[in-house]
Amino acid sequence: MSILTTVVAGLFYLATATLLVGLTRKVVQYARTPAPLKIPTTPAPVTRTGVVLRMVREVVLFESLFKSSKWTWLFGWLFHFGLFVVLLRHLRYFTEPVWGWVALVQSAGIYAGYAMVIGLAGLWARRVLVDRVRYISAPSDHLMLALLVGIGGSGLLMKYVWHTDVVALKAFVLGLLRLDLSPLPADPLLVIHLLLVACLMFIFPVSKLLHAPGVFFSPTRNQVDNPRERRHVTGEA
């Protein structure tokens, strides 16, 4: 077994453990944090069913962002939807045989890669060109966008410019899952792509990307607007 295979495999085991432990810790923290006030953003639903529907619209359609800024919504939705489809496309490396519906999204996943990078480019341009957004943007915000662009861009380059041995790559990924390592193709761009993904896994639990699970615990979105019907007690939704 090559040193490259051993190092990358060990890095991904460590990154996966960091991601799972860190994410679990933050979700538990969110769940245990009491909501001191009844503060749903109005107009808000007055029933639990309405709250569920509101959360679905927020998570899938980015409803509040659409009302706030159409351009930000467009680029944000392109990025998130593109990332979602790309992740589904990558399931082919983790399954044998490949599930039927995963095979169906392979072509769409290529276009989703473009949508992901275009969305990221728009969001990054917003942080540079819009004065009020540039003022509140920290270096970490730009580094996070650069990391995501690097992941998406290197993936597209491997698809269209510098091809890699996807059969050997799948064997390596399946070997990781089965604790039976297979050689990793020694393609520089593939190694860079994997290292960027591992870096993202390491920093996810301590970054602003935690808005992904955090939106489900936001009292402005998950509370029922019933202050007149029911007294709010800290610790309840």
Side-chain angles (χ1 to χ4, degrees):
M1 193 64 60
S2 68
I3 295 178
L4 175 64
T5 298
T6 303
V7 170
V8 173
L11 185 65
F12 265 90
Y13 284 133
L14 182 59
T16 301
T18 301
L19 176 64
L20 293 178
V21 173
L23 193 56
T24 300
R25 177 176 174 273
K26 293 302 295 187
V27 168
V28 171
Q29 179 184 344
Y30 291 155
R32 291 179 174 176
T33 301
L37 301 172
K38 176 69 74 169
I39 53 173
T41 302
T42 57
V46 297
T47 64
R48 279 292 174 190
T49 301
V51 169
V52 171
L53 293 176
R54 183 186 202 182
M55 291 299 299
V56 170
R57 295 196 305 270
E58 191 68 36
V59 172
V60 177
L61 302 177
F62 299 1
E63 181 182 47
S64 61
L65 184 59
F66 180 81
K67 295 177 180 178
S68 174
S69 172
K70 300 299 187 293
W71 279 108
T72 305
W73 172 84
L74 175 62
F75 290 122
W77 196 84
L78 277 175
F79 161 59
H80 287 86
F81 180 75
L83 176 61
F84 175 70
V85 178
V86 166
L87 290 176
L88 293 182
R89 185 175 188 270
H90 278 63
L91 285 177
R92 65 175 177 159
Y93 295 108
F94 297 85
T95 57
E96 183 59 44
V98 177
W99 301 331
W101 64 269
V102 174
L104 291 176
V105 302
Q106 294 305 302
S107 297
I110 298 174
Y111 298 103
Y114 285 113
M116 173 184 167
V117 173
I118 291 172
L120 285 168
L123 294 173
W124 203 351
R126 170 177 170 268
R127 289 200 174 272
V128 174
L129 301 177
V130 180
D131 291 341
R132 66 181 184 277
V133 180
R134 182 173 65 248
Y135 180 78
I136 63 173
S137 295
S140 60
D141 297 318
H142 295 283
L143 289 174
M144 186 66 63
L145 287 165
L147 176 60
L148 291 168
V149 169
I151 292 173
S154 59
L156 290 174
L157 286 175
M158 283 190 292
K159 174 63 180 178
Y160 292 105
V161 182
W162 293 290
H163 302 285
T164 190
D165 187 345
V166 294
V167 175
L169 175 59
K170 179 168 182 174
F172 170 75
V173 174
L174 291 176
L176 287 178
L177 296 177
R178 298 166 180 170
L179 302 180
D180 182 18
L181 297 183
S182 295
L184 174 70
D187 298 326
L189 190 58
L190 172 62
V191 174
I192 292 173
H193 183 73
L194 294 178
L195 291 178
L196 291 175
V197 172
C199 182
L200 180 64
M201 295 169 69
F202 276 118
I203 66 177
F204 191 100
V206 294
S207 71
K208 292 181 179 179
L209 296 176
L210 282 171
H211 69 266
V215 66
F216 296 99
F217 300 93
S218 172
T220 62
R221 293 290 178 269
N222 65 18
Q223 289 184 341
V224 179
D225 190 15
N226 59 354
R228 294 177 179 83
E229 294 80 10
R230 181 178 179 182
R231 181 185 297 275
H232 175 71
V233 179
T234 299
E236 295 184 355

